[in-house]
Amino acid sequence: HVQLVESGGGSVQAGGSLRLSCEVSGITEGTNCIGWFRQVPGKEREGVAAIRRDGRTIYADSVKGRFTTIKDNRENTVYLQMNSLKPDDTAMYSCAADYVGVWDDFNSDFLYWGQGTQVTVS
């Protein structure tokens, strides 16, 4: 039973920071990728960051230089450090694990999704 649990969301003032966590369980051989996505009601889901098994990362242009994703293999946890937050970063943030098929950045077909954690920037 694969489970992804996000935590660390909350309310913060513009310019502040938050660190989101995505704890992964139930994938015995480890994931090939963890992606971070966000969605605002009424808008399409947006890819934010992703880290692949070999450590390579990608970021959306809107967060480059402000967000960083890292993984802790010992804890099966991936983090999204978010600095210099803006009101436009307000969204429900979710992590996703393990893509199938061909890697296509944020359009990759991820198998497993967490429930999400809300981030509000005012």
Side-chain angles (χ1 to χ4, degrees):
H1 175 64
V2 177
Q3 192 171 18
L4 279 68
V5 179
E6 301 96 336
S7 62
S11 297
V12 65
Q13 291 188 338
S17 298
L18 284 174
R19 188 178 77 161
L20 305 185
S21 300
C22 174
E23 184 176 357
V24 182
S25 60
I27 303 178
T28 56
E29 297 183 355
T31 64
N32 58 20
C33 183
I34 294 287
W36 288 96
F37 297 81
R38 64 187 181 187
Q39 190 166 22
V40 176
K43 293 188 177 181
E44 289 191 0
R45 185 170 59 203
E46 174 189 19
V48 175
I51 183 165
R52 300 178 67 178
R53 191 195 302 271
D54 60 7
R56 284 182 290 175
T57 55
I58 60 170
Y59 296 93
D61 288 343
S62 58
V63 306
K64 280 181 181 177
R66 300 188 297 122
F67 290 13
T68 304
T69 187
I70 59 173
K71 59 180 177 177
D72 185 334
N73 291 325
R74 294 171 301 175
E75 297 183 358
N76 294 325
T77 301
V78 174
Y79 301 97
L80 182 67
Q81 178 68 43
M82 306 186 296
N83 299 327
S84 302
L85 283 162
K86 305 174 182 179
D88 284 349
D89 295 318
T90 295
M92 178 69 76
Y93 284 72
S94 301
C95 60
D98 271 1
Y99 68 92
V100 293
V102 177
W103 170 249
D104 188 19
D105 292 348
F106 297 122
N107 296 314
S108 301
D109 187 8
F110 284 89
L111 287 175
Y112 309 108
W113 292 82
Q115 293 297 311
T117 184
Q118 177 68 35
V119 171
T120 303
V121 185
S122 59

